[in-house]
Amino acid sequence: MPAIRFRDLVKTSGKPEPKSLWTEPRQDPQFMRAVKANRVLTVVQPPASKKTDFGEIGFHRQPHSSYFIFPKPLPADKGKVIGIKYDLVEPSEPEDAISSEDLKSASKPKRTKTSKPEKKIPADKTFEVRVRLVTVAETNISIKARTKGEAKEKALETAKSQEFATSKEQITATAVSEK
């Protein structure tokens, strides 16, 4: 694979625009069309290195790289591009540029000492909260049985059918979930 000079690419494919990828490349349809049309050059910029910047034809995701989009397709061979001249790159205009006149007309009016911004109080919302009530009541039950285990079983059956006085109960409330 022979090396290709950046100047030669600009002569054959036009002046490129720099492209910053702030989102996932697949979410940028304009960039993906350029990748499919072979109009993207990946420029590798090694940090803190004495090596000069170089390019690779096509989209190659890697750290410390930037991307140039050419107006015409690049050569099909995937060679290394050398001699990157940034002065040959066409600076792109921002898509949502605001003119200085628009900025002047949209400037905020100055606040006076008497005008205070009103504080917005959020409206009350309705929530559903599940609450679990746990009641603890203790009592002594006299049971006749042959073993302790049998006595516990009979006491539990008797307790299920008995009513307890509520004055002896301790109630614990716990919020279980919110909706």
mmCIF file of all heavy atoms in Angstrom, residues 25-42 57-60 67-76 78:
data_model
loop_
_atom_site.group_PDB
_atom_site.id
_atom_site.type_symbol
_atom_site.label_atom_id
_atom_site.label_comp_id
_atom_site.label_asym_id
_atom_site.label_seq_id
_atom_site.Cartn_x
_atom_site.Cartn_y
_atom_site.Cartn_z
ATOM 1 N N PRO A 25 -21.722 7.372 16.130
ATOM 2 C CA PRO A 25 -21.734 7.624 14.682
ATOM 3 C C PRO A 25 -22.993 7.116 13.980
ATOM 4 O O PRO A 25 -23.476 7.732 13.045
ATOM 5 C CB PRO A 25 -20.499 6.888 14.171
ATOM 6 C CG PRO A 25 -19.606 6.768 15.338
ATOM 7 C CD PRO A 25 -20.501 6.696 16.552
ATOM 8 N N ARG A 26 -23.550 6.014 14.442
ATOM 9 C CA ARG A 26 -24.748 5.455 13.807
ATOM 10 C C ARG A 26 -25.958 6.385 13.964
ATOM 11 O O ARG A 26 -26.918 6.270 13.236
ATOM 12 C CB ARG A 26 -25.084 4.094 14.416
ATOM 13 C CG ARG A 26 -24.070 3.046 14.047
ATOM 14 C CD ARG A 26 -24.489 1.685 14.565
ATOM 15 N NE ARG A 26 -23.388 0.771 14.439
ATOM 16 C CZ ARG A 26 -22.827 0.135 15.441
ATOM 17 N NH1 ARG A 26 -23.265 0.289 16.656
ATOM 18 N NH2 ARG A 26 -21.817 -0.678 15.246
ATOM 19 N N GLN A 27 -25.904 7.294 14.941
ATOM 20 C CA GLN A 27 -27.021 8.219 15.165
ATOM 21 C C GLN A 27 -26.889 9.489 14.329
ATOM 22 O O GLN A 27 -27.735 10.362 14.407
ATOM 23 C CB GLN A 27 -27.108 8.576 16.651
ATOM 24 C CG GLN A 27 -27.468 7.411 17.524
ATOM 25 C CD GLN A 27 -27.459 7.763 18.992
ATOM 26 O OE1 GLN A 27 -27.018 8.830 19.390
ATOM 27 N NE2 GLN A 27 -27.942 6.856 19.811
ATOM 28 N N ASP A 28 -25.822 9.610 13.550
ATOM 29 C CA ASP A 28 -25.616 10.778 12.697
ATOM 30 C C ASP A 28 -25.775 10.332 11.239
ATOM 31 O O ASP A 28 -24.827 9.834 10.617
ATOM 32 C CB ASP A 28 -24.216 11.357 12.939
ATOM 33 C CG ASP A 28 -23.971 12.673 12.228
ATOM 34 O OD1 ASP A 28 -24.720 12.989 11.274
ATOM 35 O OD2 ASP A 28 -23.021 13.377 12.613
ATOM 36 N N PRO A 29 -26.965 10.504 10.655
ATOM 37 C CA PRO A 29 -27.203 9.985 9.303
ATOM 38 C C PRO A 29 -26.310 10.626 8.244
ATOM 39 O O PRO A 29 -25.879 9.959 7.319
ATOM 40 C CB PRO A 29 -28.679 10.298 9.037
ATOM 41 C CG PRO A 29 -29.167 11.115 10.157
ATOM 42 C CD PRO A 29 -28.146 11.122 11.235
ATOM 43 N N GLN A 30 -26.013 11.912 8.381
ATOM 44 C CA GLN A 30 -25.159 12.592 7.411
ATOM 45 C C GLN A 30 -23.758 11.967 7.411
ATOM 46 O O GLN A 30 -23.177 11.704 6.351
ATOM 47 C CB GLN A 30 -25.065 14.081 7.742
ATOM 48 C CG GLN A 30 -24.179 14.856 6.792
ATOM 49 C CD GLN A 30 -23.964 16.291 7.250
ATOM 50 O OE1 GLN A 30 -24.370 16.678 8.339
ATOM 51 N NE2 GLN A 30 -23.313 17.076 6.423
ATOM 52 N N PHE A 31 -23.221 11.705 8.594
ATOM 53 C CA PHE A 31 -21.894 11.101 8.693
ATOM 54 C C PHE A 31 -21.905 9.677 8.123
ATOM 55 O O PHE A 31 -20.994 9.280 7.402
ATOM 56 C CB PHE A 31 -21.418 11.099 10.146
ATOM 57 C CG PHE A 31 -20.036 10.542 10.321
ATOM 58 C CD1 PHE A 31 -18.926 11.273 9.925
ATOM 59 C CD2 PHE A 31 -19.827 9.288 10.872
ATOM 60 C CE1 PHE A 31 -17.642 10.763 10.077
ATOM 61 C CE2 PHE A 31 -18.560 8.780 11.031
ATOM 62 C CZ PHE A 31 -17.461 9.520 10.634
ATOM 63 N N MET A 32 -22.936 8.904 8.433
ATOM 64 C CA MET A 32 -23.002 7.523 7.948
ATOM 65 C C MET A 32 -23.135 7.468 6.425
ATOM 66 O O MET A 32 -22.589 6.568 5.792
ATOM 67 C CB MET A 32 -24.153 6.763 8.624
ATOM 68 C CG MET A 32 -23.912 6.508 10.113
ATOM 69 S SD MET A 32 -22.290 5.792 10.493
ATOM 70 C CE MET A 32 -22.396 4.199 9.744
ATOM 71 N N ARG A 33 -23.834 8.446 5.812
ATOM 72 C CA ARG A 33 -23.894 8.499 4.344
ATOM 73 C C ARG A 33 -22.499 8.746 3.767
ATOM 74 O O ARG A 33 -22.111 8.158 2.761
ATOM 75 C CB ARG A 33 -24.865 9.593 3.888
ATOM 76 C CG ARG A 33 -26.314 9.185 3.939
ATOM 77 C CD ARG A 33 -27.213 10.176 3.207
ATOM 78 N NE ARG A 33 -27.212 11.503 3.785
ATOM 79 C CZ ARG A 33 -27.998 11.916 4.768
ATOM 80 N NH1 ARG A 33 -28.865 11.080 5.289
ATOM 81 N NH2 ARG A 33 -27.922 13.149 5.233
ATOM 82 N N ALA A 34 -21.725 9.624 4.431
ATOM 83 C CA ALA A 34 -20.361 9.908 3.966
ATOM 84 C C ALA A 34 -19.477 8.665 4.109
ATOM 85 O O ALA A 34 -18.632 8.396 3.256
ATOM 86 C CB ALA A 34 -19.774 11.077 4.744
ATOM 87 N N VAL A 35 -19.661 7.900 5.181
ATOM 88 C CA VAL A 35 -18.875 6.666 5.375
ATOM 89 C C VAL A 35 -19.188 5.673 4.258
ATOM 90 O O VAL A 35 -18.282 5.097 3.652
ATOM 91 C CB VAL A 35 -19.167 6.041 6.765
ATOM 92 C CG1 VAL A 35 -18.558 4.652 6.874
ATOM 93 C CG2 VAL A 35 -18.642 6.937 7.882
ATOM 94 N N LYS A 36 -20.470 5.487 3.954
ATOM 95 C CA LYS A 36 -20.875 4.537 2.913
ATOM 96 C C LYS A 36 -20.400 4.965 1.530
ATOM 97 O O LYS A 36 -20.103 4.130 0.686
ATOM 98 C CB LYS A 36 -22.382 4.353 2.919
ATOM 99 C CG LYS A 36 -22.868 3.588 4.126
ATOM 100 C CD LYS A 36 -24.368 3.481 4.153
ATOM 101 C CE LYS A 36 -24.804 2.791 5.439
ATOM 102 N NZ LYS A 36 -26.261 2.798 5.609
ATOM 103 N N ALA A 37 -20.303 6.289 1.310
ATOM 104 C CA ALA A 37 -19.862 6.805 0.011
ATOM 105 C C ALA A 37 -18.341 6.920 -0.068
ATOM 106 O O ALA A 37 -17.815 7.464 -1.037
ATOM 107 C CB ALA A 37 -20.500 8.174 -0.237
ATOM 108 N N ASN A 38 -17.611 6.445 0.944
ATOM 109 C CA ASN A 38 -16.142 6.481 1.009
ATOM 110 C C ASN A 38 -15.618 7.919 0.883
ATOM 111 O O ASN A 38 -14.729 8.211 0.104
ATOM 112 C CB ASN A 38 -15.521 5.575 -0.065
ATOM 113 C CG ASN A 38 -14.046 5.329 0.214
ATOM 114 O OD1 ASN A 38 -13.623 5.278 1.360
ATOM 115 N ND2 ASN A 38 -13.268 5.189 -0.840
ATOM 116 N N ARG A 39 -16.219 8.820 1.689
ATOM 117 C CA ARG A 39 -15.787 10.217 1.674
ATOM 118 C C ARG A 39 -15.174 10.634 3.008
ATOM 119 O O ARG A 39 -14.966 11.804 3.260
ATOM 120 C CB ARG A 39 -16.986 11.130 1.358
ATOM 121 C CG ARG A 39 -17.567 10.917 -0.017
ATOM 122 C CD ARG A 39 -18.653 11.926 -0.366
ATOM 123 N NE ARG A 39 -19.789 11.865 0.542
ATOM 124 C CZ ARG A 39 -20.214 12.898 1.282
ATOM 125 N NH1 ARG A 39 -19.639 14.063 1.213
ATOM 126 N NH2 ARG A 39 -21.251 12.758 2.085
ATOM 127 N N VAL A 40 -14.861 9.669 3.901
ATOM 128 C CA VAL A 40 -14.347 9.982 5.245
ATOM 129 C C VAL A 40 -12.871 9.612 5.354
ATOM 130 O O VAL A 40 -12.451 8.544 4.905
ATOM 131 C CB VAL A 40 -15.164 9.235 6.329
ATOM 132 C CG1 VAL A 40 -14.582 9.464 7.711
ATOM 133 C CG2 VAL A 40 -16.610 9.671 6.291
ATOM 134 N N LEU A 41 -12.122 10.522 5.952
ATOM 135 C CA LEU A 41 -10.708 10.275 6.255
ATOM 136 C C LEU A 41 -10.543 10.358 7.763
ATOM 137 O O LEU A 41 -10.941 11.349 8.390
ATOM 138 C CB LEU A 41 -9.812 11.319 5.583
ATOM 139 C CG LEU A 41 -8.322 11.225 5.904
ATOM 140 C CD1 LEU A 41 -7.710 9.997 5.230
ATOM 141 C CD2 LEU A 41 -7.598 12.486 5.473
ATOM 142 N N THR A 42 -9.980 9.319 8.373
ATOM 143 C CA THR A 42 -9.685 9.325 9.799
ATOM 144 C C THR A 42 -8.273 9.859 9.974
ATOM 145 O O THR A 42 -7.327 9.297 9.425
ATOM 146 C CB THR A 42 -9.782 7.899 10.391
ATOM 147 O OG1 THR A 42 -11.095 7.394 10.144
ATOM 148 C CG2 THR A 42 -9.493 7.895 11.873
ATOM 149 N N ILE A 57 -7.791 6.207 5.066
ATOM 150 C CA ILE A 57 -9.023 6.371 4.302
ATOM 151 C C ILE A 57 -10.098 5.484 4.915
ATOM 152 O O ILE A 57 -9.865 4.311 5.206
ATOM 153 C CB ILE A 57 -8.796 6.044 2.815
ATOM 154 C CG1 ILE A 57 -7.854 7.087 2.204
ATOM 155 C CG2 ILE A 57 -10.118 6.001 2.063
ATOM 156 C CD1 ILE A 57 -7.480 6.838 0.775
ATOM 157 N N GLY A 58 -11.276 6.061 5.135
ATOM 158 C CA GLY A 58 -12.391 5.345 5.738
ATOM 159 C C GLY A 58 -12.574 5.754 7.196
ATOM 160 O O GLY A 58 -11.791 6.519 7.753
ATOM 161 N N PHE A 59 -13.628 5.229 7.783
ATOM 162 C CA PHE A 59 -13.932 5.508 9.189
ATOM 163 C C PHE A 59 -13.310 4.425 10.057
ATOM 164 O O PHE A 59 -13.645 3.253 9.942
ATOM 165 C CB PHE A 59 -15.444 5.567 9.401
ATOM 166 C CG PHE A 59 -15.839 5.668 10.843
ATOM 167 C CD1 PHE A 59 -15.450 6.749 11.604
ATOM 168 C CD2 PHE A 59 -16.590 4.672 11.440
ATOM 169 C CE1 PHE A 59 -15.817 6.859 12.929
ATOM 170 C CE2 PHE A 59 -16.961 4.764 12.766
ATOM 171 C CZ PHE A 59 -16.571 5.857 13.511
ATOM 172 N N HIS A 60 -12.372 4.829 10.910
ATOM 173 C CA HIS A 60 -11.709 3.911 11.840
ATOM 174 C C HIS A 60 -11.820 4.522 13.219
ATOM 175 O O HIS A 60 -11.160 5.519 13.512
ATOM 176 C CB HIS A 60 -10.234 3.711 11.463
ATOM 177 C CG HIS A 60 -10.042 3.259 10.048
ATOM 178 N ND1 HIS A 60 -10.295 1.974 9.643
ATOM 179 C CD2 HIS A 60 -9.659 3.943 8.936
ATOM 180 C CE1 HIS A 60 -10.057 1.873 8.349
ATOM 181 N NE2 HIS A 60 -9.676 3.056 7.897
ATOM 182 N N TYR A 67 -11.984 13.435 12.186
ATOM 183 C CA TYR A 67 -12.523 12.930 10.924
ATOM 184 C C TYR A 67 -12.754 14.092 9.965
ATOM 185 O O TYR A 67 -13.217 15.160 10.353
ATOM 186 C CB TYR A 67 -13.820 12.163 11.178
ATOM 187 C CG TYR A 67 -13.624 11.091 12.221
ATOM 188 C CD1 TYR A 67 -13.953 11.308 13.552
ATOM 189 C CD2 TYR A 67 -13.055 9.868 11.891
ATOM 190 C CE1 TYR A 67 -13.735 10.347 14.516
ATOM 191 C CE2 TYR A 67 -12.826 8.894 12.842
ATOM 192 C CZ TYR A 67 -13.174 9.146 14.162
ATOM 193 O OH TYR A 67 -12.947 8.192 15.104
ATOM 194 N N PHE A 68 -12.421 13.859 8.703
ATOM 195 C CA PHE A 68 -12.655 14.835 7.649
ATOM 196 C C PHE A 68 -13.636 14.208 6.659
ATOM 197 O O PHE A 68 -13.474 13.053 6.261
ATOM 198 C CB PHE A 68 -11.363 15.193 6.904
ATOM 199 C CG PHE A 68 -10.363 15.961 7.723
ATOM 200 C CD1 PHE A 68 -9.026 15.942 7.379
ATOM 201 C CD2 PHE A 68 -10.736 16.721 8.820
ATOM 202 C CE1 PHE A 68 -8.082 16.659 8.104
ATOM 203 C CE2 PHE A 68 -9.810 17.443 9.558
ATOM 204 C CZ PHE A 68 -8.479 17.412 9.205
ATOM 205 N N ILE A 69 -14.621 15.002 6.236
ATOM 206 C CA ILE A 69 -15.579 14.548 5.231
ATOM 207 C C ILE A 69 -15.287 15.306 3.947
ATOM 208 O O ILE A 69 -15.316 16.537 3.920
ATOM 209 C CB ILE A 69 -17.031 14.785 5.683
ATOM 210 C CG1 ILE A 69 -17.317 13.988 6.949
ATOM 211 C CG2 ILE A 69 -18.005 14.399 4.572
ATOM 212 C CD1 ILE A 69 -18.707 14.187 7.505
ATOM 213 N N PHE A 70 -15.002 14.559 2.885
ATOM 214 C CA PHE A 70 -14.692 15.138 1.579
ATOM 215 C C PHE A 70 -15.968 15.247 0.747
ATOM 216 O O PHE A 70 -16.878 14.424 0.892
ATOM 217 C CB PHE A 70 -13.662 14.264 0.844
ATOM 218 C CG PHE A 70 -12.267 14.396 1.378
ATOM 219 C CD1 PHE A 70 -11.874 13.728 2.527
ATOM 220 C CD2 PHE A 70 -11.340 15.209 0.740
ATOM 221 C CE1 PHE A 70 -10.581 13.854 3.022
ATOM 222 C CE2 PHE A 70 -10.054 15.342 1.231
ATOM 223 C CZ PHE A 70 -9.675 14.672 2.372
ATOM 224 N N PRO A 71 -16.031 16.238 -0.149
ATOM 225 C CA PRO A 71 -17.220 16.377 -0.993
ATOM 226 C C PRO A 71 -17.341 15.271 -2.050
ATOM 227 O O PRO A 71 -18.438 14.957 -2.495
ATOM 228 C CB PRO A 71 -17.063 17.744 -1.653
ATOM 229 C CG PRO A 71 -15.666 18.184 -1.416
ATOM 230 C CD PRO A 71 -15.111 17.375 -0.301
ATOM 231 N N LYS A 72 -16.214 14.674 -2.479
ATOM 232 C CA LYS A 72 -16.219 13.601 -3.476
ATOM 233 C C LYS A 72 -15.596 12.345 -2.858
ATOM 234 O O LYS A 72 -14.809 12.429 -1.925
ATOM 235 C CB LYS A 72 -15.397 14.012 -4.707
ATOM 236 C CG LYS A 72 -15.968 15.195 -5.448
ATOM 237 C CD LYS A 72 -15.087 15.562 -6.619
ATOM 238 C CE LYS A 72 -15.566 16.809 -7.313
ATOM 239 N NZ LYS A 72 -14.625 17.230 -8.362
ATOM 240 N N PRO A 73 -15.909 11.154 -3.413
ATOM 241 C CA PRO A 73 -15.344 9.912 -2.876
ATOM 242 C C PRO A 73 -13.809 9.890 -2.948
ATOM 243 O O PRO A 73 -13.192 10.452 -3.851
ATOM 244 C CB PRO A 73 -15.931 8.820 -3.765
ATOM 245 C CG PRO A 73 -17.153 9.426 -4.355
ATOM 246 C CD PRO A 73 -16.874 10.891 -4.476
ATOM 247 N N LEU A 74 -13.220 9.214 -1.987
ATOM 248 C CA LEU A 74 -11.766 9.055 -1.913
ATOM 249 C C LEU A 74 -11.349 7.832 -2.713
ATOM 250 O O LEU A 74 -12.187 6.983 -3.049
ATOM 251 C CB LEU A 74 -11.345 8.909 -0.446
ATOM 252 C CG LEU A 74 -11.680 10.113 0.447
ATOM 253 C CD1 LEU A 74 -11.433 9.784 1.912
ATOM 254 C CD2 LEU A 74 -10.863 11.316 0.048
ATOM 255 N N PRO A 75 -10.057 7.685 -3.018
ATOM 256 C CA PRO A 75 -9.607 6.495 -3.751
ATOM 257 C C PRO A 75 -9.972 5.214 -3.002
ATOM 258 O O PRO A 75 -10.015 5.194 -1.769
ATOM 259 C CB PRO A 75 -8.087 6.666 -3.820
ATOM 260 C CG PRO A 75 -7.832 8.105 -3.575
ATOM 261 C CD PRO A 75 -8.961 8.606 -2.742
ATOM 262 N N ALA A 76 -10.222 4.164 -3.761
ATOM 263 C CA ALA A 76 -10.674 2.903 -3.178
ATOM 264 C C ALA A 76 -9.599 2.204 -2.346
ATOM 265 O O ALA A 76 -9.914 1.488 -1.397
ATOM 266 C CB ALA A 76 -11.173 1.969 -4.264
ATOM 267 N N LYS A 78 -7.029 1.500 0.450
ATOM 268 C CA LYS A 78 -7.011 1.930 1.851
ATOM 269 C C LYS A 78 -5.595 2.266 2.305
ATOM 270 O O LYS A 78 -5.100 1.745 3.278
ATOM 271 C CB LYS A 78 -7.593 0.836 2.757
ATOM 272 C CG LYS A 78 -8.972 0.380 2.392
ATOM 273 C CD LYS A 78 -9.996 1.340 2.902
ATOM 274 C CE LYS A 78 -11.381 0.801 2.593
ATOM 275 N NZ LYS A 78 -12.446 1.594 3.082
#
